[in-house]
């Protein structure tokens, strides 16, 4: 009894020391030795801004499972509806959001990154010990896995991908279902399978996607091989738990999306499945900013010689991972030669590579079945690392069992130190520049909130869609969230998803002059116009001069900064802004033809937002043409509105006094006749085209209204 208790306590002490080691490595790498340094993020560029925005939204209660994901202080005046833009690790984001209210946003982000390393270390250590690996080698593998280059280097920018604790536990669950003779409903392995399923279902969808494949193969192996009923049942329930958890965590994606015919927010195509596929050579190429020049040389060579790169260098396995990969390959070849069964780790690795590698099943499914959503299969490298490191430490544990104890511990320590140091790159973010930007944003945010009333709306220029858009001049994507991160009571126009009816009015104003723009913003209730100078070649001087000419001279600006806010005069009784045209969704070619016609190659979806809580009437015009004469039907949510005869020349159809429902009105234009391919190039499959759309609000005689007219 006492011996058992001592073993458990010893195991806990080792896990505690492992946790401390992982924490200290992270702190040393990012130089977070003072409380002040913890109030600065590790990264403050591009995707890191998006991660911080999610944490900020979570801290304000806007990201919660089973609720609409409406970010109240973004996307003014309607809020940023992110239901169609899934948030991975939503429970984690919620917990860190609560933490941010106590310790600050940036400190919470840092603690989240530390948590990613600690949980990865403990999960790998638990898995290796379950597989009867000696504790020193289990600890070595745990640290090597937690700091593997292709996840640790992602950092704050790819926050969800840094949390890899589900990977070793997921592999353990797969191997238990596939091969354990002791797995039944009363043994601890069931808890491992079920708890892992919950974690992997709530975490990054890429990890779930690959794990489901492996667990599926485990069930096939049992069904056609060992046929152990308990393994089959437990494996099937494990999959159901993972899928159920995923459905709950991402429920907003199908419960609350209002613009169901809209374009996907994240564009995916076949070319992306090639560019971002796992490339075998990249698992063995050190990055060009490696600590050792002899290794960095090959990274520089790859940069010079390669022409087709995706998330470059991120699949790098590190020296220890490469050693494990080579060892596993040799062991597998020997077994094949002697006609022995392959190791389970070899079968697992073989499937991951067969699916994820360039030219593998990922490309076959993308080309022939159109399955392109999981395009970045290079992210399967974390599975490769886990598999080969587990194999490596288990084999080293067996190999060193007869060594003197000092040699066992010393060798494990050297492998750990060299392997971890070799994988951790030199920081590629200037901490001093990050500190300067953050301090500037804090001062600017404080100045904004001092000058504007609580809940005031700020319109941001240049107008940017969300997410992943090409930005003008020197402006970075997601940079418009910076004032949101450092304020508490202001609302900003940025953050509304692109190509949506709710953001159409902003897109229509993107090219407006200040003479046209300012009155519309004031009528909508905006109290300030924010301009980021980095988005303009002249640093927005022409815009600011025009505002001065119009009498808007009160600025909020810090010396040597790129952010400027000009105070406006919001209307006492603001009216919600109306778009002037329809928003095109699925079924249309992205690019118009030289005449400005957007052609549909199948049913064409369009939408329009009525921002009022009641029905309104509009005069509705559509200018259509077709590749050949045909009937085109206009429907709203499956209800026929009008059948239109369309010819090869543009013709306008008018619907006077058409009634719009509150919220997003979803329309579809369709023809029963097949489209015609005009050539072999892109955008040549055509049915009918939309040249112009126009909507004008019909004034309500019982209430003050306004109308807005323009053409698309």
């Amino acid at each position: 009894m006492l011996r058992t208790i001592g073993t458990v306590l010893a195991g806990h002490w080792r896990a505690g020391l492992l946790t401390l080691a992982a924490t200290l490595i992270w702190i040393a790498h990012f130089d977070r030795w003072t409380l002040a340094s913890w109030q600065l993020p590790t990264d403050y560029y591009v995707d890191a801004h998006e991660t911080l925005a999610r944490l900020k939204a979570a801290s304000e209660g806007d990201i919660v499972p089973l609720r609409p994901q409406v970010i109240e202080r973004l996307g003014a005046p309607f809020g940023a509806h992110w239901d169609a833009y899934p948030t991975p690790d939503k429970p984690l984001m919620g917990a860190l959001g609560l933490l941010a209210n106590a310790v600050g946003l940036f400190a919470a982000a840092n603690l989240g990154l530390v948590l990613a390393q600690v949980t990865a270390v403990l999960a790998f250590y638990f898995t290796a010990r379950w597989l009867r690996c000696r504790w020193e080698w289990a600890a070595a593998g745990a640290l090597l896995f937690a700091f593997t280059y292709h996840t640790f280097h992602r950092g704050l920018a790819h926050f969800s991908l840094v949390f890899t604790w589900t990977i070793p536990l997921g592999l353990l669950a797969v191997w238990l279902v596939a091969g354990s003779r002791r797995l039944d409903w009363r043994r601890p392995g069931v808890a491992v399978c079920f708890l892992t399923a919950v974690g992997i279902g709530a975490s990054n969808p890429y990890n779930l996607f690959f794990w489901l494949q492996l667990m599926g193969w485990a069930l096939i192996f049992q069904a056609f091989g060992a046929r152990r009923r308990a393994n089959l049942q437990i494996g099937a329930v494990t999959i159901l738990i993972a899928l159920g958890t995923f459905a709950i965590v991402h429920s907003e994606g199908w419960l609350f999306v209002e613009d169901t015919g809209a374009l996907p927010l994240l564009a995916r195509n076949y070319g992306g499945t090639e560019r971002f596929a796992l490339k075998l050579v990249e698992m063995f190429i050190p990055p060009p900013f490696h600590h050792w020049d002899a290794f960095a040389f090959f990274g520089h060579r790859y940069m010079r010689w390669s022409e087709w790169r995706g998330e470059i260098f991120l699949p790098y396995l590190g020296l220890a991972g490469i050693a494990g990969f080579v060892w596993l390959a040799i062991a597998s070849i020997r077994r094949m030669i002697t006609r022995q069964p392959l190791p389970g780790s070899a079968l697992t690795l073989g499937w991951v590579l067969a699916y994820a590698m360039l030219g593998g099943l990922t490309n076959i499914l993308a080309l022939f079945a159109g399955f392109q959503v999981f395009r970045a299969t290079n992210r399967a490298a974390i599975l490769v690392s886990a598999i080969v490191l587990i194999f490596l430490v288990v084999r080293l544990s067996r190999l060193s069992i007869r060594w003197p104890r000092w040699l066992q511990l010393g060798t494990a320590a050297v492998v750990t130190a060299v392997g971890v140091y070799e994988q951790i790159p030199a920081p590629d973010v200037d901490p001093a520049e990050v500190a300067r930007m953050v301090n500037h944003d804090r001062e600017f945010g404080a100045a904004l909130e001092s000058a504007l009333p609580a809940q005031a709306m700020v319109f941001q220029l240049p107008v940017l869609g969300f997410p992943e858009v090409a930005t003008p001049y020197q402006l970075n994507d997601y940079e418009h969230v910076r004032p949101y991160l450092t304020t508490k009571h202001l609302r900003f126009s940025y953050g509304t998803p692109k190509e949506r009816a709710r953001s159409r009015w902003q897109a229509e104003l993107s090219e407006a002059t200040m003479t046209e723009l300012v009155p519309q913003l004031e009528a909508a209730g905006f109290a300030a116009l924010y301009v980021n100078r980095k988005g303009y070649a002249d640093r927005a001087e022409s815009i600011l001069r025009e505002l001065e000419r119009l009498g808007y001279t009160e600025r909020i600006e810090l010396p040597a900064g790129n952010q400027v806010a000009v105070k406006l005069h919001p209307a006492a009784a603001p009216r919600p802004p109306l778009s002037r045209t329809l928003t095109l969704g699925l079924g249309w070619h992205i690019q118009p033809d030289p005449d400005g016609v957007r052609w549909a190659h199948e049913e064409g979806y369009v939408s329009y937002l009525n921002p009022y809580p009641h029905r309104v009437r509009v005069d509705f015009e559509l200018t259509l043409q077709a590749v050949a004469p045909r009937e085109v039907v206009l429907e709203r949510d499956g209800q026929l509105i009008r059948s239109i005869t369309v010819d090869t020349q543009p013709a306008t159809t008018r619907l006077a006094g058409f009634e719009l429902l509150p919220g997003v009105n979803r329309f579809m234009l369709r023809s029963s006749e097949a489209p015609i391919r005009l050539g072999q190039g892109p955008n040549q499959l055509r049915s009918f085209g939309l040249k112009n759309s126009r909507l004008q609000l019909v004034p309500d005689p019982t209430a003050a209204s306004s109308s807005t007219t323009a053409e698309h």
Side-chain angles (χ1 to χ4, degrees):
M1 178 70 175
L2 292 175
R3 183 177 181 181
T4 302
I5 294 174
T7 301
V8 171
L9 291 176
H12 288 173
W13 276 107
R14 290 164 183 160
L17 290 174
L18 201 54
T19 298
L20 179 62
T23 303
L24 290 176
I25 292 171
W26 188 93
I27 290 173
H29 176 70
F30 289 107
D31 192 21
R32 292 300 188 269
W33 297 106
T34 65
L35 289 177
S37 65
W38 278 81
Q39 293 298 327
L40 296 173
T42 57
D43 192 358
Y44 206 58
Y45 302 93
V46 195
D47 287 350
H49 281 135
E50 188 221 4
T51 298
L52 291 168
R54 289 183 187 270
L55 289 172
K56 182 73 171 180
S59 73
E60 298 180 354
D62 293 336
I63 295 181
V64 179
L66 296 174
R67 279 180 45 189
Q69 308 299 292
V70 181
I71 316 304
E72 296 290 348
R73 292 205 300 117
L74 293 177
F78 307 127
H81 290 239
W82 286 5
D83 293 322
Y85 187 48
T87 299
D89 294 299
K90 199 174 285 94
L92 171 67
M93 284 286 182
L96 291 175
L98 293 176
L99 184 62
N101 291 326
V103 302
L105 175 64
F106 302 134
N110 288 330
L111 288 170
L113 291 174
V114 173
L115 181 64
Q117 305 309 125
V118 169
T119 53
V121 160
L122 295 179
F124 190 100
Y125 182 78
F126 174 86
T127 300
R129 294 291 282 161
W130 185 289
L131 297 173
R132 303 183 184 277
C133 182
R134 296 181 63 84
W135 73 263
E136 64 271 16
W137 287 111
L143 287 170
L144 290 168
F145 173 76
F147 291 94
T148 191
Y149 174 78
H150 50 76
T151 51
F152 182 68
H153 184 60
R154 290 181 183 274
L156 190 60
H158 286 172
F159 193 68
S160 179
L161 293 172
V162 177
F163 282 83
T164 60
W165 65 272
T166 58
I167 298 298
L169 293 177
L171 290 171
L172 178 58
V174 167
W175 292 333
L176 286 173
V177 170
S180 176
R181 298 178 181 178
R182 300 179 181 180
L183 185 64
D184 62 44
W185 292 97
R186 292 170 294 180
R187 289 185 176 272
V190 173
V192 171
C193 292
F194 290 175
L195 292 175
T196 298
V198 172
I200 210 162
S203 65
N204 187 276
Y206 270 95
N207 296 343
L208 173 63
F209 175 64
F210 289 116
W211 177 83
L212 286 173
Q213 296 176 38
L214 296 176
M215 186 59 79
W217 277 115
L219 291 181
I220 292 172
F221 180 82
Q222 279 293 339
F224 295 96
R227 297 186 181 180
R228 295 195 74 254
R229 179 177 298 180
N231 293 53
L232 283 168
Q233 292 173 342
I234 292 169
V237 172
T238 300
I239 289 176
L240 291 176
I241 291 173
L243 292 175
T245 304
F246 177 82
I248 293 171
V249 170
H250 296 280
S251 59
E252 73 279 359
W254 45 84
L255 290 179
F256 306 114
V257 171
E258 55 187 0
D259 206 346
T260 53
L263 291 169
L265 289 176
L266 300 175
R268 299 292 182 257
N269 54 42
Y270 174 77
T273 68
E274 289 187 343
R275 180 180 295 275
F276 297 104
L278 180 64
K279 301 176 179 66
L280 182 65
V281 66
E282 290 188 354
M283 294 193 293
F284 302 95
I285 301 177
F289 34 84
H290 196 279
H291 290 294
W292 303 328
D293 291 342
F295 283 50
F297 167 81
F298 294 101
H300 287 292
R301 170 178 284 182
Y302 188 67
M303 289 286 291
R304 293 193 307 271
W305 290 5
S306 63
E307 297 180 355
W308 190 246
R309 301 189 296 268
E311 294 178 329
I312 189 169
F313 300 114
L314 287 177
Y316 177 55
L317 296 177
L319 288 180
I322 292 171
F325 189 98
V326 173
W327 193 346
L328 178 56
I330 293 172
S332 300
I333 292 171
R334 283 180 175 176
R335 289 207 174 189
M336 285 190 289
I337 292 173
T338 58
R339 299 185 179 180
Q340 299 179 60
L342 289 175
S345 51
L347 294 173
T348 308
L349 178 61
W351 172 257
V352 171
L353 295 179
Y355 185 91
M357 281 181 56
L358 179 63
L361 289 172
T362 180
N363 297 131
I364 293 173
L365 290 176
L367 183 64
F368 293 103
F371 187 71
Q372 302 162 358
V373 61
F374 292 102
R375 63 170 181 171
T377 53
N378 69 83
R379 296 173 182 179
I382 186 60
L383 280 162
V384 177
S385 275
I387 294 167
V388 299
L389 287 174
I390 289 172
F391 174 84
L392 178 68
V393 296
V394 169
R395 286 299 179 98
L396 286 173
S397 181
R398 296 173 184 173
L399 179 67
S400 62
I401 195 168
R402 298 186 182 278
W403 295 0
R405 193 67 182 134
W406 65 267
L407 184 58
Q408 292 174 346
L409 296 175
T411 305
V414 170
V415 169
T416 303
V418 173
V420 170
Y421 177 77
E422 182 266 334
Q423 286 191 110
I424 295 179
D428 58 348
V429 174
D430 183 359
E433 178 62 16
V434 169
R436 186 196 67 78
M437 293 174 65
V438 170
N439 291 331
H440 177 276
D441 285 359
R442 285 172 173 153
E443 293 179 25
F444 183 74
L448 274 179
E449 295 206 299
S450 175
L452 301 173
Q455 301 304 312
M457 295 192 300
V458 180
F459 189 83
Q460 293 175 274
L461 288 178
V463 173
L464 295 180
F466 177 92
E468 292 188 6
V469 296
T471 53
Y473 201 52
Q474 297 176 336
L475 191 64
N476 293 318
D477 203 6
Y478 305 119
E479 196 162 350
H480 272 347
V481 303
R482 289 171 61 183
Y484 167 69
L485 299 177
T486 56
T487 58
K488 295 181 179 179
H489 308 297
L490 299 178
R491 301 165 63 195
F492 299 90
S493 62
Y494 176 70
T496 301
K498 61 189 178 184
E499 306 295 343
R500 294 295 188 274
R502 288 187 180 275
S503 60
R504 182 65 182 169
W505 71 276
Q506 290 193 38
E508 291 172 349
L509 293 177
S510 60
E511 300 297 329
T513 65
M514 294 303 103
T515 304
E516 300 166 333
L517 177 65
V518 169
Q520 296 186 55
L521 295 182
E522 292 180 332
F526 282 89
L529 179 63
Y530 165 101
V531 183
N532 193 312
R533 292 177 178 271
K534 291 172 64 178
Y536 301 90
D538 68 344
R539 290 184 52 79
E541 287 297 333
S542 59
I543 290 176
L544 297 173
R545 283 196 301 268
E546 189 175 357
L547 288 169
E548 287 182 349
R549 183 180 60 80
L550 295 173
Y552 297 92
T553 58
E554 191 172 353
R555 294 187 190 178
I556 304 162
E557 185 176 18
L558 298 180
N562 292 309
Q563 302 174 93
V564 186
V566 179
K567 293 185 69 172
L568 304 179
H569 310 301
R575 301 183 301 271
L578 289 167
S579 57
R580 307 183 293 261
T581 57
L582 295 170
T583 302
L584 275 64
L586 296 172
W588 305 88
H589 293 304
I590 299 299
Q591 297 297 329
D593 70 6
D595 296 324
V597 179
R598 287 282 295 275
W599 288 92
H601 52 89
E602 52 186 352
E603 295 89 353
Y605 290 86
V606 293
S607 59
Y608 186 86
L609 173 69
N610 170 15
Y612 292 95
H614 54 79
R615 301 187 180 204
V616 299
R617 293 187 178 276
V618 295
D619 290 336
F620 190 163
E621 293 185 0
L622 293 173
T623 302
L624 300 168
Q625 68 181 93
V627 291
R630 64 187 60 214
E631 290 293 314
V632 175
V633 172
L634 174 64
E635 299 176 350
R636 178 171 60 188
D637 291 332
Q639 181 180 4
L640 177 65
I641 296 173
R642 178 169 294 186
S643 181
I644 307 167
T645 301
V646 183
D647 208 333
T648 56
Q649 295 301 313
T652 299
T653 298
R654 295 178 176 85
L655 288 79
F658 181 77
E659 190 174 72
L660 292 174
L661 305 175
V664 175
N665 289 254
R666 300 175 294 261
F667 302 95
M668 182 175 70
L669 290 158
R670 63 178 178 84
S671 173
S672 60
E673 298 187 39
I676 299 172
R677 180 169 293 281
L678 303 182
Q680 293 303 313
N683 304 328
Q684 295 301 304
L685 184 65
R686 300 178 179 182
S687 179
F688 53 87
L690 177 64
K691 185 174 179 64
N692 292 313
S693 64
R694 177 176 173 271
L695 290 92
Q696 178 179 351
L697 187 66
V698 176
D700 185 348
T702 63
S705 297
S706 68
S707 62
T708 314
T709 306
E711 289 196 356
H712 170 61

